[in-house]
């Protein structure tokens, strides 16, 4: 059925591309013999500049349901000759081509003389799931051909490190603005993986990687096959050391092993995971810790096939395709963390910050935590820059100091009130005090925080709440 649906959409896309266009400056195309629906929106850019009179704006509605496969055009709208934003558009489409379980998004571009000047660089989902039919799109300036990277490609190199022999980088870049990054700190037995979306700053010839890290990574585009690391403010690093990553013009994707956050959809015979930072969707293997994710999905009483925000440790690996030849990226769940019915990708596209965030306690060790009656909600707050924290399960107020270095976190006890706590708060408070005392590291995935002991065992799971 999936293949037939894609064929039908592809046939309708041929009609969209080659069907008759109106002679007006604004045109919208769709299948001529079907009832239509519309996606509307507005697109803009921030640069203070006028476009030449031969500029062409185009918004395209695409089916992006299948990971690692070309998107299928469902409808498009075009505006010719408009020289400044905003670009108000309406895309007609045939509702019969829409699969309620599919994923659809709008992409916007501006070309001048056939050359791309502006493009959207984030996913703008519409129609299915919880998404509506109206979008607002920020377009970014693309570089001139002289500094455009030759993509897809893998960039490699070992960059300088202050306290180790170097940091080995493996950076995969795709034309759809997705990146995967693996960094290895040599002689420290420490790897870090990241994924997200990249963008250009044309005026600065700068490549910006925005993923799960709090700060974006920045590189100067030296040439089509070379980029050079910049500092966190985007300034050149004055050094005789080699800060460049280079490519041979080919793509050799690295396997990712990291914490994932995204929307899980599960039916009896298939599971699809949409990773929030990139917007890509992958099939999920029914192995390893999948059974834990499946049980939690079913227990959440989610509509069959409906999206449920889920966090887990896992791997993204190449596996044979479920249909057809070749391989495709596949998610393997190695450690299930939690499901979050009130969360979604729109809210989780950027990680919360550790400091000065209200962290609601969700779980201590293996015990679920919730507010008791009219008591205060269980929570932890780490305040900066004074390096103090406060915490409670709804009874005593626990305070202290903390030491922070990279992913390392150590909490030290301070003054605490001494009220006698009724059950079950007395037991939860003992768990909280123990967890804070044993915390040695932390990890933030989107809007969730996990605390770990010295051996890497999970002590507590918390969720960011914005008051």
């Amino acid at each position: 059925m999936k293949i037939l649906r894609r064929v039908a959409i592809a046939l309708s896309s041929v009609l969209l591309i080659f069907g008759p266009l109106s002679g007006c400056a604004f045109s919208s195309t769709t299948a001529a013999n079907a009832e239509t629906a519309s996606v509307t929106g507005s697109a803009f850019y921030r640069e203070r500049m006028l476009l030449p009179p031969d500029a062409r704006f185009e918004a395209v509605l695409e089916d992006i349901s299948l990971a690692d496969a070309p998107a299928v055009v469902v409808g498009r709208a075009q505006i010719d000759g408009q020289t400044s934003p905003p670009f108000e558009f309406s895309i007609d489409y045939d509702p019969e081509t829409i699969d309620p379980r599919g994923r659809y998004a709008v992409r916007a571009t501006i070309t001048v003389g056939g050359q791309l000047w502006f493009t959207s660089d984030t996913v703008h989902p519409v129609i299915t799931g919880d998404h509506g039919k109206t979008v607002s799109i920020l377009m970014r300036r693309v570089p001139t051909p002289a500094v455009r990277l030759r993509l897809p490609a893998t960039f490699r190199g070992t960059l300088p490190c202050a306290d180790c022999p170097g940091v080995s980088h493996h950076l995969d870049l795709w034309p759809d603005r997705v990146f995967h990054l693996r960094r290895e700190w040599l002689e420290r037995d420490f790897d870090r993986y990241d994924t997200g979306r990249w963008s250009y700053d044309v005026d600065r010839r700068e490549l910006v990687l925005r993923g799960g890290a709090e700060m974006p990574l920045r590189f100067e585009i030296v040439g089509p096959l070379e980029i050079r690391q910049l500092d966190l403010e985007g300034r050149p690093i004055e050094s005789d050391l080699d800060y460049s990553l280079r490519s041979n013009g080919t793509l050799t994707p690295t396997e990712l092993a990291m914490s994932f956050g995204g929307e899980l959809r599960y039916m009896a015979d298939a599971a699809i995971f949409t990773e929030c930072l990139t917007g890509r969707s992958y099939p999920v293997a029914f192995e390893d810790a999948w059974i834990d994710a499946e049980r939690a999905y079913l227990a959440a009483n989610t509509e069959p096939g409906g999206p449920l925000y889920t966090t887990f440790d896992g791997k993204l690996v190449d596996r044979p395709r479920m249909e057809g030849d070749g391989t495709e990226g596949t998610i393997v769940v190695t450690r299930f963390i939690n499901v979050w019915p009130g969360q979604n990708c729109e809210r989780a596209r950027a990680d919360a910050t550790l400091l000065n965030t209200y962290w609601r306690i969700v779980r201590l060790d293996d015990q679920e935590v919730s507010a008791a009656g009219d008591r205060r909600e269980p929570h932890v707050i780490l305040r900066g820059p004074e390096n103090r924290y406060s915490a409670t399960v709804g009874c005593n107020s626990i305070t202290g100091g903390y030491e922070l270095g990279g992913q390392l976190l150590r909490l030290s006890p301070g003054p605490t009130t001494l009220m006698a706590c009724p059950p079950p708060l007395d037991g939860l408070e003992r768990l909280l005090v123990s967890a804070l005392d044993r915390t040695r590291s932390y990890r933030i995935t989107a809007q969730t925080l996990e605390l770990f002991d010295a051996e890497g065992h999970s002590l507590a799971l918390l969720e960011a709440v914005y008051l």
Side-chain angles (χ1 to χ4, degrees):
M1 292 299 294
K2 185 182 291 184
I3 294 175
L4 291 175
R5 181 173 68 83
R6 294 306 293 266
V7 170
I9 295 174
L11 289 174
S12 65
S13 299
V14 172
L15 294 175
L16 292 170
I17 295 171
F18 296 104
L21 298 176
S22 72
C24 301
F26 179 94
S27 67
S28 179
T29 64
T30 187
N33 61 347
E35 293 185 7
T36 62
S38 299
V39 169
T40 60
S42 176
F44 62 98
Y45 54 79
R46 289 178 176 154
E47 286 78 0
R48 296 182 178 179
M49 60 179 290
L50 292 176
L51 299 170
D54 60 339
R56 169 172 291 180
F57 168 83
E58 188 173 55
V60 180
L61 173 61
E62 297 176 325
D63 181 347
I64 58 171
S65 301
L66 296 183
D68 300 331
V72 175
V73 175
V74 179
R76 68 175 75 229
Q78 179 180 305
I79 304 174
D80 289 333
Q82 184 172 324
T83 59
S84 64
F87 297 86
E88 308 289 343
F89 61 86
S90 177
I91 306 174
D92 292 340
Y93 65 93
D94 179 2
E96 293 298 320
T97 65
I98 301 299
D99 185 338
R101 297 175 299 176
R103 297 185 65 249
Y104 300 87
V106 176
R107 176 174 54 86
T109 58
I110 295 175
T111 56
V112 177
Q115 180 179 320
L116 185 65
W117 278 37
F118 289 89
T119 184
S120 54
D121 64 351
T122 59
V123 177
H124 295 273
V126 291
I127 302 175
T128 55
D130 298 328
H131 307 297
K133 296 182 181 180
T134 302
V135 291
S136 177
I137 300 177
L138 170 64
M139 297 180 291
R140 299 188 183 276
R141 184 82 183 271
V142 301
T144 63
V147 296
R148 183 173 295 168
L149 297 171
R150 189 183 304 169
L151 302 179
T154 296
F155 290 78
R156 293 185 176 93
T158 300
L159 303 186
C161 172
D163 56 356
C164 70
V167 182
S168 175
H169 284 60
H170 180 125
L171 173 63
D172 301 321
L173 298 175
W174 283 269
D176 64 352
R177 303 294 177 110
V178 169
F179 78 86
H180 292 170
L181 175 63
R182 178 180 184 267
R183 289 178 288 174
E184 177 187 1
W185 276 255
L186 303 180
E187 295 186 4
R188 288 180 52 183
D189 192 29
F190 176 67
D191 292 355
R192 183 166 184 177
Y193 299 82
D194 201 2
T195 183
R197 301 190 67 83
W198 58 265
S199 62
Y200 281 120
D201 184 322
V202 180
D203 296 332
R204 298 166 61 96
R205 295 177 56 142
E206 183 180 76
L207 173 74
V208 183
L209 309 180
R210 292 182 173 87
E214 290 188 13
M215 297 292 292
L217 300 177
R218 303 178 185 275
F219 294 85
E220 176 192 2
I221 303 171
V222 179
L225 299 175
E226 181 179 353
I227 58 178
R228 179 179 171 83
Q229 186 180 32
L230 301 171
D231 68 15
L232 294 179
E233 302 299 324
R235 297 171 299 202
I237 299 174
E238 301 296 334
S239 173
D240 293 331
L241 301 176
D242 187 1
Y243 280 87
S244 288
L245 304 180
R246 299 175 177 86
S247 173
N248 62 7
T250 63
L251 176 69
T252 309
T254 185
E255 291 187 353
L256 296 180
M258 55 184 285
S259 291
F260 289 89
E263 295 178 358
L264 178 66
R265 291 174 170 84
Y266 174 55
M267 298 292 284
D269 59 346
I272 299 294
F273 179 74
T274 301
E275 198 276 320
C276 284
L277 292 174
T278 63
R280 284 186 174 181
S281 296
Y282 305 96
V284 182
F286 291 171
E287 60 185 70
D288 215 329
W290 159 252
I291 187 63
D292 299 324
E294 178 186 12
R295 288 169 179 162
Y297 184 97
L298 296 175
N301 295 319
T302 300
E303 177 186 353
L308 177 61
Y309 189 84
T310 306
T311 53
F312 57 86
D313 291 342
K315 297 182 293 185
L316 177 60
V317 299
D318 262 354
R319 293 283 177 85
R321 290 186 178 275
M322 298 292 292
E323 299 176 356
D325 299 328
T327 61
E328 63 182 343
T330 302
I331 290 288
V332 177
V333 180
T334 56
R335 185 179 73 94
F336 171 72
I337 298 177
N338 207 37
V339 294
W340 309 87
Q343 182 69 277
N344 57 47
C345 273
E346 293 299 320
R347 180 170 173 244
R349 293 204 185 277
D351 283 353
T353 57
L354 177 66
L355 304 184
N356 302 313
T357 294
Y358 180 99
W359 292 104
R360 180 176 66 86
I361 302 173
V362 175
R363 191 168 64 227
L364 293 170
D365 285 342
D366 294 327
Q367 186 166 339
E368 301 294 324
V369 176
S370 59
D374 58 354
R375 299 259 180 179
R376 287 179 297 168
E377 185 175 56
H379 69 272
V380 176
I381 301 176
L382 288 86
R383 306 183 189 279
E386 60 266 33
N387 286 48
R388 304 292 298 175
Y389 75 85
S390 61
T392 185
V393 294
C395 186
N396 285 295
S397 178
I398 303 167
T399 63
Y402 65 84
E403 298 176 13
L404 182 64
Q407 297 300 115
L408 302 180
L409 174 64
R410 184 184 291 268
L411 304 166
S412 56
T416 300
T417 59
L418 299 174
M419 293 186 294
C421 302
L425 294 181
D426 54 348
L428 289 177
E429 186 164 283
R430 287 192 294 270
L431 286 176
L432 175 59
V433 171
S434 175
L436 296 176
D437 181 61
R438 291 184 290 150
T439 293
R440 295 296 180 269
S441 64
Y442 75 96
R443 181 193 299 154
I444 293 176
T445 304
Q447 304 296 308
T448 67
L449 167 66
E450 201 165 6
L451 304 179
F452 300 93
D453 65 15
E455 286 72 43
H457 300 135
S458 178
L459 299 172
L461 179 65
L462 307 95
E463 180 183 21
V465 175
Y466 300 99
L467 304 175

